[in-house]
Amino acid sequence: MAAETNAETGTGAGTRADTVAHTGVHTGAGEGAGSGAAAGAAAPAAGAGARRRDLAVRAAVGQGLLDSEPLVCLLDTAGIRASAAALTGAFAAVLPPGTPVLHAFAVKAAPLVPVLRLLADCGIGCEVASAGELALARAAGALPEHTVLDSPAKTTAELREALALGIAVNADNHQELERLDALVAAAPTASPIGVRVNPQTGAGTIGALSTATATSKFGVALRDPGARARLVRAFLDRPWLTRLHTHSGSQGVPLALLVEGVRELHALAEEINAAAGRRQVDTLDIGGGLPVDFTSDEETPAFARYAAALREAVPGLFDGSYGLVTEFGRSLLAKHGLVLARVEYTKTAGGRPIAVTHAGVQVATRTVYAPASWPVRVLAYDATGAPKTGDPVAQDVAGPACFAGDLLATARELPPLVPGDLVGVPDTGAYFFTAHYGYNSLPRPAVHGYAPAPDGGIRFTAARPAQDLAALVAEAGGAHRDALL
């Protein structure tokens, strides 16, 4: 049963130096966006989410969410719904009525069944990249026609299952196409089938996440010698190939590179259809990869801005000639997650204060191992859940893991932290606590969704329970204790 509480108002993000309260709403209605984009695709107001977040922290303390566990993770369900509406509205505003569109959430960004179910309720399907992610999508009730399978290493069994279910499949390479030849010949399928291409348009600032480099492992490299002609021939030889797919963006990739990748995809579709003498390619899967601003509460760039940039650069994408698939992940969920951890101890080393907390590498893996690429904001709260005040002091915010680099922030200016205080790490709704890293056998923390209650308070609903020690032992082979003797 969901619990409810009232939390004091007046503790919004604007009271804290490291969190900016924003009241403006981005419409993203740039040149070519059209009046509909401004009316129906506005990004959620940043200030509203920040106010809900601070109320949720106070409510989490008041309801005892941290009484038995020193670490909890929170998801703002109202914020998730607002982002989903902004996405669907942004593309609806620039596409002709009746254009087939599937917005599929990249499950890897938040592999939690309740999250997938919430997004399905918002009209968002699932993009999966493994048998495990497909199982999660099916458990959430995602329809086969609202599911897309992408992976550079699909097994024959995975392909066979997808084709039997009618799930869309994007082949990664020519060898996979040869496997599909045999499977398609062996049994009829309702699955739309396409090919992923690498437009080789270049890298962003984070090399490990740049999927459109000259040597990326993903897709058919479009600019390699002879590759384009061979790919056109592959489509002409396979009338059942009806889609093209690319994913040219991610965190650190500028909007212009995302758009350039989609432009290359559209040009290839036009070339294939001209060679076929018919509209063989009928759907373009443009992937996701819209970056997130981790420096503030603003949701920027907005989906409407991206849709407008696409329509200006690739007008043929919006004339009704092609159905459209998107695969956003981080940009839908990141801004709506919060890690909330207790400060257990404080100390000083080398003249610098250190706050030892229960949030570290297990919930912020990328930040700990690559802090320059994945810096996070840290919000300071007192033991009651109220934002801390006081003159900022440079201090390290450390996690619980047994290695020196387990740090959320170094020399971060925050009000002085003391044992019993709380630290909040916002923007963690995707790729942070949703995908746990089991260093030191640290258990998975509980995840709670939160939303405004009718009485003005905050209502929490459990989305994933905290992992107890018995479950952790079982996961580590506890039932097979003597197997290696």
Side-chain angles (χ1 to χ4, degrees):
M1 178 179 296
E4 297 181 6
T5 189
N6 284 311
E8 288 185 23
T9 58
T11 58
T15 63
R16 228 175 17 255
D18 58 345
T19 304
V20 182
H22 301 278
T23 56
V25 177
H26 281 276
T27 63
E31 183 181 353
S35 60
R51 287 189 292 272
R52 280 196 304 273
R53 180 183 64 219
D54 280 354
L55 288 172
V57 172
R58 179 68 67 87
V61 173
Q63 294 188 33
L65 265 60
L66 291 114
D67 286 354
S68 59
E69 301 292 337
L71 170 67
V72 296
C73 303
L74 307 178
L75 285 170
D76 177 3
T77 58
I80 294 171
R81 286 187 180 276
S83 285
L87 168 61
T88 56
F91 281 86
V94 294
L95 285 166
T99 302
V101 180
L102 170 63
H103 296 292
F105 174 70
V107 172
K108 57 185 171 289
L112 296 172
V113 170
V115 168
L116 306 182
R117 183 67 187 91
L118 171 61
L119 289 169
D121 194 54
C122 298
I124 308 294
C126 288
E127 182 266 337
V128 302
S130 70
E133 290 184 357
L134 177 55
L136 297 181
R138 296 189 70 188
L143 298 175
E145 58 267 31
H146 295 162
T147 306
V148 181
L149 174 62
D150 297 318
S151 164
K154 306 180 197 71
T155 67
T156 299
E158 290 169 355
L159 290 170
R160 184 179 293 112
E161 179 186 20
L163 296 178
L165 292 171
I167 289 169
V169 174
N170 288 316
D172 181 80
N173 54 70
H174 288 283
Q175 292 175 357
E176 187 176 336
L177 281 178
E178 292 171 1
R179 288 190 183 182
L180 286 166
D181 285 337
L183 293 172
V184 169
T189 179
S191 294
I193 304 175
V195 177
R196 177 171 183 169
V197 300
N198 171 14
Q200 296 174 295
T201 46
T205 59
I206 305 176
L209 294 190
S210 297
T211 58
T213 62
T215 57
S216 171
K217 72 176 186 179
F218 294 106
V220 175
L222 203 53
R223 297 181 182 179
D224 281 11
R228 195 179 191 99
R230 185 184 178 193
L231 187 57
V232 172
R233 184 73 257 167
F235 270 79
L236 298 182
D237 290 343
R238 297 170 174 86
W240 40 266
L241 281 178
T242 60
R243 292 188 170 190
L244 280 171
H245 171 227
T246 193
H247 182 93
S248 55
S250 194
Q251 191 66 22
V253 177
L255 210 58
L257 276 184
L258 272 76
V259 170
E260 185 179 349
V262 176
R263 183 169 55 234
E264 291 286 337
L265 191 76
H266 178 265
L268 178 61
E270 295 283 278
E271 181 179 343
I272 291 170
N273 287 346
R278 62 186 182 91
R279 188 169 167 265
Q280 179 172 342
V281 177
D282 60 20
T283 300
L284 298 180
D285 184 337
I286 64 172
L290 196 65
V292 167
D293 175 12
F294 286 95
T295 67
S296 78
D297 283 320
E298 289 207 57
E299 294 187 50
T300 181
F303 292 116
R305 178 183 166 198
Y306 179 46
L310 281 173
R311 196 170 81 162
E312 180 178 354
V314 199
L317 191 67
F318 299 94
D319 65 5
S321 299
Y322 295 97
L324 195 65
V325 178
T326 70
E327 299 173 354
F328 294 102
R330 181 180 294 106
S331 52
L332 275 169
L333 263 291
K335 306 302 289 187
H336 311 303
L338 178 73
V339 171
L340 190 60
R342 189 171 69 222
V343 176
E344 196 66 40
Y345 300 109
T346 54
K347 61 175 79 173
T348 299
R352 189 156 70 205
I354 302 170
V356 180
T357 81
H358 291 272
V361 70
Q362 83 278 34
V363 291
T365 312
R366 289 177 173 180
T367 294
V368 168
Y369 286 128
S373 295
W374 298 99
V376 294
R377 292 180 291 152
V378 177
L379 312 179
Y381 299 90
D382 66 22
T384 71
K388 288 208 74 169
T389 57
D391 294 334
V393 175
Q395 52 202 302
D396 291 355
V397 182
C402 286
F403 70 100
D406 187 26
L407 298 168
L408 292 177
T410 303
R412 185 66 56 87
E413 295 279 342
L414 294 167
L417 294 167
V418 298
D421 282 345
L422 303 172
V423 294
V425 188
D427 309 332
T428 47
Y431 296 108
F432 279 81
F433 62 78
T434 57
H436 182 77
Y437 175 51
Y439 194 95
N440 276 152
S441 296
L442 293 167
R444 286 188 292 271
V447 177
H448 301 271
Y450 68 90
D455 64 359
I458 293 291
R459 180 183 63 201
F460 292 101
T461 306
R464 182 184 72 190
Q467 185 181 31
D468 62 30
L469 295 183
L472 192 150
V473 170
E475 186 176 79
H480 306 279
R481 184 185 66 176
D482 298 328
L484 303 182
L485 298 181

